[in-house]
Amino acid sequence: MGDGNPDIATLKSPANKVGAIRLDAPRMLAMYTQMVRSRTLDERVWLLNRQGKVALMSSAQGHEAAQIATVHALRPGQDWFYTYYRDLAVVVALGVPFKEIMLGYMAKAGEPFSGARQFPCHGAYPKYHIVNPSNVVGTRIPQAVGAALAAKMRREGTVVIVYFGDGAASTGDCHEGMNFAAIHKLPVVFFCENNRYAISVPLSKQIAVSNVAARAEGYGMPGLTVDGTDVAAAYEATAEAAAKARAGHGPTLIEAMVERALPHTSDDDDRKYRSREEMEEVKRRDPLPILKRQLEAIGVLNVELDARICEAAKREVDEATEFGEAAPYPTTEGFYDHVYAPQGGAPSP
Amino acid sequence: MREEMERDERVFVMGEDIGTRGGVFLATDGFLQKFGAERVIDTPLAESSIAGIALGAATSGMRPIAEMEFADFIWPVFNQIVGEAARVRYGTNGGLHVPLVLRAPYGGGVRGGLYHSQSVESFFAHVPGLKVVVPATPYDAKGLLKSAIRDDDPVVFLEHKRTYRLVRGEVPDEEYTLPIGVADVKLEGSDISVITYGLMLHHCIEAARELAKEGISVEVVDLRTLRPLDEATVLVSVRKTGKALVVHEDTRAVGIGAEVAATIAEKAFDRLDGPVTRLAGPDVPAMPFSPPLEEMFMLDSKNIADAVRTLARY
Ligand SMILES: Cc1ncc(C[n+]2csc(CCOP(=O)(O)OP(=O)(O)O)c2C)c(N)n1
Ligand SMILES: [Mg+2]
């Protein structure tokens, strides 16, 4: 445990970068593969929505670099991931099988997060340490802080990361959660995926300053803004925050500047509030070709390898789609299950 | 809302996505262009403050209409509306009052899952100092909304999402209001009174038409307002038919049905010739997403007709 206030200056100073955790080429390639897989799945689900086979989709397109990088910067299997509805690439990078994800989109039996009671990837998947309890924006922030409190109490060396949007940052829950986490130096990483929109509301109507990370100082924790289309930037920032958290130095607020490439959800039409010129700019910041170019430049990716990665992703998505379509809907048999602990069940220790 | 904003400069709207986008259900489509950003406020994503700010503006002489994007996100507002707004007039001994309308789209059957389907009415209807309005038809919605905006006390105005698209009805262009606290007999009948509100009204009417073919004459009472409850209309109907079925989508225990049933039992006991019966949503925490599970939660005209037949046998 550190004493006194967190040393914000240290984190921001270039000196701190000397020992910084660097992203290596094999990991970058692994990230690329996951990004292709996530994107392929994402595009397919959007299409399935248009075909009436998926009721609702909130796409991660444009957010993937930041999402995937955080998973690599943490310890899957040990650390906990408090995701929100736009975090498909987190779920993909954590290794949840596509067939299971597809059951969620199609609301079919055997869906692992909620038994198809909730929207896709909502609920929890304890096996992968994913918690995404609800559609309610902001509520998971203090919940993640509570998980970090528990981790600290149990001296587990576990880190909790909580993902949320720029809109969520306006909630009282966000403020209250961050404040508590900073006071108690809890091992939590606040990861704001700032795409500058909350549905149609632009950032300028959300906050009067230009960055969410600017708030961190007011809570007494480090805050930094990174380019969320760059895996290295997001990876290094998260790895550093995780290391600090694990060492007992408390929380960090990371704001990743990302792009929302599609409308808010499949139910939304963004033409009313985003100009087509703006969307052209968004395309230029697409993290997938950015990472592809980076990998090509360092000689890690070539045309053949890329084709193999894309082909495998397509096959995986095809199989998941077939699997999902063939799967039955849940029966109503368990409809009343899990309102309370099972009758006669022993209280948990 | 448009007419009220034209009529009264004190009226303004605030909520998430209500400006450029015109609201997620397009309730305020074109308002920004017509009334400007000062009276059509796109708020940050922070419900508690939406209600709190509206409250403060209301006690200061404005007539805000605060919008919840979905009723499912209303809970942070509980503090401001139940804890504060409902008690301002009483707690200041009449010194201040809160002429605010809190609009919220609610209800299920729209593939909304746990968090875009909730019925929230009974929580608010419990609270003296609040009025709770639940229109079921476009005609009623306009007349009641006007009254809510002109009301000097806080009104929670709940609009069932499914009725936005499902129900089409005549809405006269001209000015009219409908009084808060007055129920409406939507269908006259003599054998049994079915008391309901919201989306269920339409299922009840459908069931009643079906039952008419079997010779069961159903009277359908649309409560329209849950607080204050129009006891008189309910009691007149039940005294006439001698049988009462209360139907709502919201879960059963400690719901509106319990209040209506208790009122009937207390005040029309001598005229009853069957048990006052409730037909309501199942007691699970919220409506699940997957189609068969959602169907299991939602009542339909068939469930209602069955319940009427059972009651009619007495
Ligand atoms: C408490 C709450 N209020 C409103 C909503 C409706 N809603 C769903 S997503 C959203 C915008 C969230 O924007 P942001 O946090 O920036 O995330 P993004 O979708 O941009 O990734 C809103 C208003 C909600 N789900 N929860
Ligand atoms: Mg956003």
Side-chain angles (χ1 to χ4, degrees):
Chain A
M1 282 269 323
D3 50 357
N5 291 327
D7 195 354
I8 296 163
T10 320
L11 193 94
K12 281 187 175 159
S13 76
N16 191 55
K17 280 279 160 214
V18 174
I21 306 129
R22 288 283 167 203
L23 179 56
D24 58 28
R27 209 187 257 288
M28 270 173 88
L29 186 62
M31 288 181 178
Y32 178 72
T33 307
Q34 286 167 344
M35 206 184 294
V36 170
R37 290 173 62 231
S38 181
R39 180 66 62 93
T40 310
L41 177 60
D42 198 303
E43 287 173 348
R44 176 67 56 84
V45 174
W46 196 268
L47 203 70
L48 289 168
N49 168 267
R50 294 314 189 227
Q51 295 171 354
K53 291 174 181 166
V54 163
L56 187 92
M57 164 63 165
S58 51
S59 166
Q61 290 182 41
H63 287 228
E64 296 107 320
Q67 294 179 4
I68 291 168
T70 58
V71 172
H72 285 263
L74 288 153
R75 295 182 190 162
Q78 180 186 356
D79 296 339
W80 282 83
F81 298 80
Y82 276 65
T83 56
Y84 79 115
Y85 51 80
R86 205 173 293 294
D87 287 327
L88 178 62
V90 173
V91 173
V92 168
L94 282 170
V96 179
F98 279 18
K99 286 181 180 171
E100 293 187 355
I101 297 175
M102 196 57 91
L103 291 177
Y105 282 111
M106 295 184 176
K108 296 293 184 74
E111 192 278 319
F113 284 79
S114 72
R117 286 174 172 174
Q118 291 222 51
F119 283 179
C121 298
H122 284 70
Y125 205 156
K127 182 175 157 191
Y128 292 92
H129 285 207
I130 301 171
V131 183
N132 180 18
S134 80
N135 294 110
V136 187
V137 167
T139 44
R140 66 197 31 61
I141 298 173
Q143 294 167 9
V145 171
L149 177 67
K152 187 186 166 195
M153 286 172 155
R154 296 165 145 176
R155 293 174 172 70
E156 290 174 343
T158 297
V159 173
V160 181
I161 183 166
V162 56
Y163 303 86
F164 53 96
D166 43 298
S170 292
T171 61
D173 272 354
C174 179
H175 160 71
E176 295 172 38
M178 287 183 179
N179 187 44
F180 187 95
I183 291 170
H184 294 278
K185 291 207 183 320
L186 298 181
V188 54
V189 179
F190 297 106
F191 196 84
C192 179
E193 300 177 32
N194 185 348
N195 57 18
R196 307 186 312 284
Y197 282 92
I199 308 187
S200 73
V201 179
L203 194 62
S204 60
K205 292 206 173 144
Q206 205 68 243
I207 52 177
V209 291
S210 57
N211 284 102
V212 173
R215 287 196 201 152
E217 197 170 345
Y219 296 118
M221 66 173 151
L224 59 159
T225 303
V226 299
D227 179 358
T229 68
D230 178 15
V231 285
Y235 174 80
E236 284 162 24
T238 311
E240 228 164 272
K244 266 176 106 74
R246 239 182 275 283
H249 300 310
T252 302
L253 168 56
I254 300 171
E255 174 184 35
M257 300 308 295
V258 293
E259 303 295 336
R260 194 187 82 199
L262 293 176
H264 173 66
T265 65
S266 49
D267 276 351
D268 183 32
D269 179 358
D270 62 6
R271 284 170 300 188
K272 214 167 165 185
Y273 58 87
R274 292 188 90 172
S275 72
R276 293 308 95 184
E277 299 81 74
E278 184 185 344
M279 295 316 289
E280 282 307 308
E281 182 55 36
V282 166
K283 271 202 196 112
R284 274 192 286 281
R285 296 213 341 115
D286 183 343
L288 189 62
I290 291 175
L291 181 55
K292 189 176 170 191
R293 282 195 298 273
Q294 287 173 349
L295 287 167
E296 283 165 353
I298 56 171
V300 174
L301 187 70
N302 57 34
V303 180
E304 294 82 62
L305 180 56
D306 191 35
R308 276 210 302 282
I309 291 169
C310 294
E311 187 45 44
K314 189 180 168 295
R315 216 169 28 244
E316 194 182 3
V317 172
D318 284 344
E319 281 168 18
T321 308
E322 273 171 41
F323 178 80
E325 292 199 77
Y329 281 119
T331 64
T332 53
E333 210 171 294
F335 185 81
Y336 288 96
D337 290 352
H338 306 297
V339 177
Y340 298 105
Q343 286 276 310
S348 53
Chain B
M1 278 193 288
R2 186 190 293 271
E3 288 170 18
E4 290 304 294
M5 287 180 74
E6 284 165 357
R7 180 181 164 270
D8 185 347
E9 287 205 334
R10 297 172 302 171
V11 179
F12 71 94
V13 290
M14 59 188 295
E16 294 156 12
D17 300 290
I18 68 164
T20 317
R21 201 186 186 287
V24 286
F25 295 104
L26 304 181
T28 52
D29 197 19
F31 277 40
L32 182 65
Q33 291 82 337
K34 188 163 169 55
F35 299 108
E38 205 167 300
R39 293 179 72 199
V40 182
I41 304 173
D42 258 335
T43 65
L45 202 164
E47 281 76 10
S48 175
S49 66
I50 295 173
I53 291 160
L55 194 168
T59 54
S60 307
M62 303 300 284
R63 293 198 165 248
I65 305 172
E67 180 178 308
M68 297 288 105
E69 200 150 64
F70 288 85
D72 307 67
F73 312 131
I74 208 165
W75 309 121
V77 159
F78 221 64
N79 193 23
Q80 291 289 349
I81 295 297
V82 174
E84 308 274 331
R87 290 153 189 171
V88 165
R89 185 186 287 279
Y90 191 76
T92 60
N93 203 19
L96 293 176
H97 64 281
V98 188
L100 93 76
V101 179
L102 184 71
R103 285 186 51 238
Y106 80 106
V110 295
R111 291 303 307 280
L114 258 60
Y115 293 94
H116 294 81
S117 305
Q118 291 171 38
S119 292
V120 302
E121 59 271 24
S122 59
F123 294 93
F124 294 95
H126 181 63
V127 182
L130 291 183
K131 296 180 180 178
V132 180
V133 179
V134 280
T137 68
Y139 179 85
D140 288 354
K142 175 174 169 178
L144 285 164
L145 185 57
K146 278 175 171 281
S147 297
I149 295 167
R150 296 178 197 184
D151 202 283
D152 280 336
D153 289 310
V155 179
V156 178
F157 197 89
L158 301 170
E159 302 162 13
H160 198 292
K161 295 191 287 291
R162 189 101 199 277
T163 62
Y164 285 151
R165 282 175 216 171
L166 189 73
V167 182
R168 298 257 167 256
E170 288 293 308
V171 181
D173 280 335
E174 68 268 18
E175 161 80 19
Y176 67 92
T177 60
L178 294 171
I180 291 174
V182 178
D184 186 33
V185 176
K186 285 284 194 305
L187 204 67
E188 288 197 26
S190 53
D191 295 335
I192 203 163
S193 300
V194 173
I195 299 135
T196 188
Y197 59 91
L199 176 68
M200 286 302 140
L201 170 71
H202 304 285
H203 292 319
C204 288
I205 290 174
E206 203 185 311
R209 297 226 163 96
E210 204 49 46
L211 290 158
K213 294 179 200 156
E214 301 168 21
I216 303 175
S217 168
V218 177
E219 176 147 305
V220 180
V221 180
D222 177 9
L223 290 173
R224 295 199 297 197
T225 300
L226 302 180
R227 182 181 273 267
L229 195 64
D230 181 0
E231 294 188 358
T233 302
V234 171
L235 292 171
V236 166
S237 177
V238 176
R239 286 201 183 104
K240 178 173 79 178
T241 63
K243 293 188 177 75
L245 173 71
V246 195
V247 179
H248 55 67
E249 174 183 327
D250 192 9
T251 54
R252 177 188 174 95
V254 204
I256 300 300
E259 180 63 26
V260 174
T263 303
I264 294 168
E266 275 172 10
K267 298 184 179 168
F269 182 73
D270 53 334
R271 308 298 280 272
L272 289 173
D273 59 10
V276 184
T277 307
R278 286 175 293 165
L279 181 66
D283 275 315
V284 296
M287 192 172 306
F289 177 56
S290 190
L293 305 181
E294 183 180 86
E295 260 167 50
M296 173 98 172
F297 191 109
M298 288 297 285
L299 298 172
D300 58 19
S301 61
K302 207 182 139 297
N303 307 132
I304 296 163
D306 286 346
V308 170
R309 284 187 199 104
T310 306
L311 189 53
R313 280 189 215 114
Y314 280 88

